Amino acid sequence: TAAPRSRFQVPRSIRGGVVVVDVEDGSAADRADLEAGDVILEVNRRGVDSADAFGRALGQAGKRMFLLVARGGRTRFLVLER
């Protein structure tokens, strides 16, 4: 939805993806260095454009996932291990 994008001031140039709204301390996301406001664009090189698509991608992924994340005007790959 537009609310998280507005709340975290995601640039309009970033289309698609899923906005991270919270990261629990000590979680796999925290260990992977995800931050609130990050936009996950890909999981294992497959684009995600909704929470449902992200959930499906997680379900198909193994113990280690490569996430393409937009943060601060740049993109980077992060490794998330369950």
Side-chain angles (χ1 to χ4, degrees):
T1 66
R5 289 180 176 276
S6 176
R7 177 178 164 201
F8 292 105
Q9 300 178 346
V10 175
R12 291 178 191 243
S13 60
I14 298 176
R15 304 225 179 246
V18 177
V19 179
V20 176
V21 296
D22 188 37
V23 177
E24 186 177 323
D25 288 341
S27 67
D30 184 37
R31 292 190 303 275
D33 195 34
L34 276 170
E35 298 178 1
D38 286 351
V39 181
I40 300 172
L41 302 169
E42 297 179 357
V43 176
N44 291 338
R45 303 222 179 229
R46 290 188 178 178
V48 293
D49 59 2
S50 69
D52 288 338
F54 179 68
R56 284 191 301 275
L58 286 181
Q60 295 171 352
K63 289 187 176 190
R64 176 182 277 182
M65 292 163 255
F66 297 95
L67 307 177
L68 179 62
V69 174
R71 178 191 300 162
R74 296 181 180 201
T75 56
R76 65 191 75 205
F77 279 100
L78 299 177
V79 178
L80 187 140
E81 295 189 53
R82 297 190 219 202

